[in-house]
Amino acid sequence: MRQRTYLMCSPAKYLVEYAINAWMDTSVPVDTQLAIKQWTVLRDAVVDLGHTVHLLAPQDGLPDMVYAANGAFSVDGVVYGARFKYAQRAAEAVRHRAFYEEQPDAWRFVPPTETNEGEGDFTYVPDGHGGLILAGYGFRTEIDAHAQAQEVLGRPVISLRLVDPRFYHLDTALASLDDGNIIYYPAAFSVSSQTVLRQLFPHAMIATEEDALAFGLNLVSDGRNVLMHTEATALAARLADAGFRPILVDLSELKKGGGSVKCCMAELRP
Ligand code: ARG
């Protein structure tokens, strides 16, 4: 386990007012008060594990801001900003940018010119090959942003094509488990991308469609403790067998927006 720092944003303004992914249905009611309770349990669990949580202020008119993972991607104090695909979320990037630019000694913020949704589609694997960035495209992030991230962050970026609209962000289909290994659901990726993943991570854990549909891969691991969605009980049992300590969190309300644990937490890498 390594002590980590995260950026989160309360769902105080959360609602499903538009549908930009396969999980969102504007006719299904959302309980914002329950979302706040569930999110608070997650935040408290992160703090109880000894990690640091910074907060962004929720904003009127930005109901998806709770999914803080999408706002940027940082490695070694360098921040590659987000540029959202859909107009409804565009202004979130401004809030994230301000967070980093308010601490110029800690962060060098680089604004993007290419569409990308931060840690939604970028995952950092610290020790894998000296620091490797896995990057998804196909639904949200443009592949040109992968090249830009590599220039900005100076780490090899491996482009992986997502092919199943239910798993529209990389973080719904793949997660970093510890400093060298990952877990993923193969069928979310093109056949060639599956080959790439097998080559780079021959010891990866392989998840099932059921695990992925339960948002089990939208997890946050500190190398030992794994915060994950409450429905993913089968995956939690397997992770426990593998020596991890799963912590199940009920984020039923946020799942209605197409996200769970990982979507709510941007890891800050100073
Ligand atoms: N409603 C949000 C969207 O569709 C959910 C984002 C989920 N975040 C994530 N990191 N996968 O953009």
Side-chain angles (χ1 to χ4, degrees), residues 4-9 39 42 46 52-54 56 65-74 79 96 99-100 107 117-120 122 171 220 260-269:
R4 307 198 186 210
T5 304
Y6 299 99
L7 181 62
M8 298 178 69
C9 178
W39 176 89
L42 172 65
V46 178
T52 301
V53 175
H54 293 286
L56 280 180
M65 215 175 144
V66 59
Y67 305 110
N70 299 130
F73 177 57
S74 62
V79 186
H96 283 265
F99 171 83
Y100 295 103
W107 304 105
E117 298 196 347
E119 292 209 315
F122 289 111
D171 71 2
V220 169
S260 184
V261 173
K262 171 59 208 173
C263 300
C264 294
M265 299 171 61
E267 185 170 349
L268 304 182
R269 298 180 195 81

Side-chain angles (χ1 to χ4, degrees), residues 20-21 24 64 67 69-70 89 120 140 168-169 171 257-258 263:
I20 56 173
N21 68 55
M24 298 174 88
D64 273 339
Y67 305 110
N70 299 130
R89 299 196 65 188
R140 298 290 182 90
Y168 59 98
H169 271 146
D171 71 2
C263 300

Side-chain angles (χ1 to χ4, degrees), residues 29-150:
V30 163
D31 184 339
T32 303
Q33 290 312 312
L34 179 57
I36 296 171
K37 280 201 192 101
Q38 295 177 332
W39 176 89
T40 302
V41 171
L42 172 65
R43 188 203 57 198
D44 291 351
V46 178
V47 171
D48 286 348
L49 289 171
H51 303 301
T52 301
V53 175
H54 293 286
L55 293 175
L56 280 180
Q59 301 293 323
D60 282 324
L62 294 176
D64 273 339
M65 215 175 144
V66 59
Y67 305 110
N70 299 130
F73 177 57
S74 62
V75 178
D76 267 352
V78 182
V79 186
Y80 181 51
R83 189 174 177 206
F84 285 85
K85 170 159 179 157
Y86 294 108
Q88 292 96 327
R89 299 196 65 188
E92 294 180 39
V94 180
R95 301 292 166 169
H96 283 265
R97 179 176 183 161
F99 171 83
Y100 295 103
E101 289 188 335
E102 276 158 18
Q103 312 161 68
D105 295 339
W107 304 105
R108 183 166 73 83
F109 183 90
V110 182
T113 58
E114 308 301 332
T115 299
N116 82 89
E117 298 196 347
E119 292 209 315
D121 275 320
F122 289 111
T123 299
Y124 189 55
V125 187
D127 282 351
H129 311 264
L132 202 60
I133 295 169
L134 303 181
Y137 71 104
F139 296 103
R140 298 290 182 90
T141 296
E142 296 291 340
I143 196 162
D144 285 350
H146 297 184
Q148 190 162 48
Q150 178 164 292

Side-chain angles (χ1 to χ4, degrees), residues 133 145-158:
I133 295 169
H146 297 184
Q148 190 162 48
Q150 178 164 292
E151 284 304 310
V152 169
L153 300 168
R155 294 288 196 293
V157 174
I158 306 294

Side-chain angles (χ1 to χ4, degrees), residues 176-188:
S176 191
L177 274 180
D178 55 34
D179 282 351
N181 207 10
I182 62 166
I183 179 165
Y184 65 98
Y185 169 53

